Amino acid sequence: QPTRPPTPQPTKPPSPQPILQPTQLPNPLPSQNDCVDSSLDWHDSGGSSYNCQYYAQSNYCSIYGNQFSNDGLVANQVCCACGGGISSTTQQQTQQPIGQPSPQPTRPPTPQPTKPPSPQPILQPTQLPNPLPSQNDCVDSSLDWHDSGGSSYNCQYYAQSNYCSIYGNQFSNDGLVANQVCCACGGGISSTTQQQTQQPIGQPSPQPTRPPT
């Protein structure tokens, strides 16, 4: 570092003003009439004689203003004569942010699309009657049923000739006729469901005389 000339005598003692902290953002260059040295008792690392009054002489700011740091500061930051210092009218940084911070940006969607749920089938009961069970898939609704004529007039009897069409809706027993109970007459139940699927149609005709078994 170059040798510097001595300070003029005597050096004025520092005033009892509090030390003002430098602003975090650089202020515009204050004028000499609107400026206060940032620290009135600051001096550089060379000693108390090398204060802002010293730097105001000659062209010492341009030669030494960025050297001889003390407390982390150099003359070009602290001294008004060197373009530093703070405004005497504000004594603090006055610039405030304008407006409100922008809201947080929305995040982009994930690269993978969300899989739609697989449709679940809704099972509804059929409103139409089930088809007539076939002879191979049918069981008489009651294996010991017979009509009101007696035990001889059972489903085996009705399986002969065309007795189902002639007598199938007559001679009810236990509230049932052959067309309901017997597979041979289109009645009975499915052997896989064990439930009756065919309902009687119409009313029974008057009972005619039947041939003997």
Side-chain angles (χ1 to χ4, degrees), residues 33-74:
N33 296 328
D34 188 31
C35 183
V36 176
D37 295 332
S38 299
S39 174
L40 298 182
D41 61 350
W42 178 88
H43 58 79
D44 70 16
S45 60
S48 60
S49 297
Y50 298 100
N51 53 21
C52 286
Q53 290 179 346
Y54 167 82
Y55 278 92
Q57 304 172 81
S58 189
N59 60 345
Y60 292 163
C61 289
S62 60
I63 300 173
Y64 310 115
N66 285 322
Q67 304 175 39
F68 306 103
S69 173
N70 187 20
D71 294 330
L73 299 171
V74 293

Side-chain angles (χ1 to χ4, degrees), residues 4 16 20 27 71 78 92-93 95 98 103 107-108 132-133 165 170 172 176 198:
R4 296 181 292 173
L20 300 176
N27 291 325
D71 294 330
V78 178
Q92 60 184 356
Q93 184 175 349
Q95 186 174 0
I98 300 174
R107 293 180 294 173
L132 198 64
S165 60
Q170 305 173 39
S172 172
L176 297 172
Q198 178 75 16

Side-chain angles (χ1 to χ4, degrees), residues 11-210:
T11 302
K12 292 182 181 180
S15 61
Q17 295 294 326
I19 299 174
L20 300 176
Q21 297 295 327
T23 58
Q24 296 180 356
L25 295 177
N27 291 325
L29 188 65
S31 67
Q32 291 292 328
N33 296 328
D34 188 31
C35 183
V36 176
D37 295 332
S38 299
S39 174
L40 298 182
D41 61 350
W42 178 88
H43 58 79
D44 70 16
S45 60
S48 60
S49 297
Y50 298 100
N51 53 21
C52 286
Q53 290 179 346
Y54 167 82
Y55 278 92
Q57 304 172 81
S58 189
N59 60 345
Y60 292 163
C61 289
S62 60
I63 300 173
Y64 310 115
N66 285 322
Q67 304 175 39
F68 306 103
S69 173
N70 187 20
D71 294 330
L73 299 171
V74 293
N76 284 354
Q77 294 174 290
V78 178
C79 303
C80 292
C82 298
I86 59 174
S87 172
S88 62
T89 57
T90 60
Q91 297 291 315
Q92 60 184 356
Q93 184 175 349
T94 58
Q95 186 174 0
Q96 298 294 330
I98 300 174
Q100 298 297 323
S102 59
Q104 294 182 354
T106 57
R107 293 180 294 173
T110 57
Q112 296 297 328
T114 304
K115 293 181 180 180
S118 59
Q120 296 294 328
I122 300 175
L123 300 178
Q124 298 291 339
T126 56
Q127 298 181 356
L128 297 176
N130 292 327
L132 198 64
S134 66
Q135 292 291 329
N136 295 329
D137 189 32
C138 183
V139 175
D140 296 332
S141 300
S142 175
L143 297 181
D144 59 352
W145 179 87
H146 57 80
D147 71 17
S148 59
S151 58
S152 298
Y153 299 99
N154 54 22
C155 287
Q156 290 180 348
Y157 168 83
Y158 279 93
Q160 305 173 73
S161 188
N162 58 346
Y163 293 165
C164 290
S165 60
I166 301 174
Y167 311 115
N169 282 324
Q170 305 173 39
F171 308 103
S172 172
N173 185 19
D174 294 330
L176 297 172
V177 292
N179 284 353
Q180 293 175 292
V181 177
C182 303
C183 293
C185 298
I189 58 175
S190 170
S191 60
T192 56
T193 61
Q194 294 295 309
Q195 60 184 358
Q196 183 172 347
T197 58
Q198 178 75 16
Q199 297 296 327
I201 301 174
Q203 297 296 323
S205 60
Q207 297 180 0
T209 302
R210 295 181 295 170

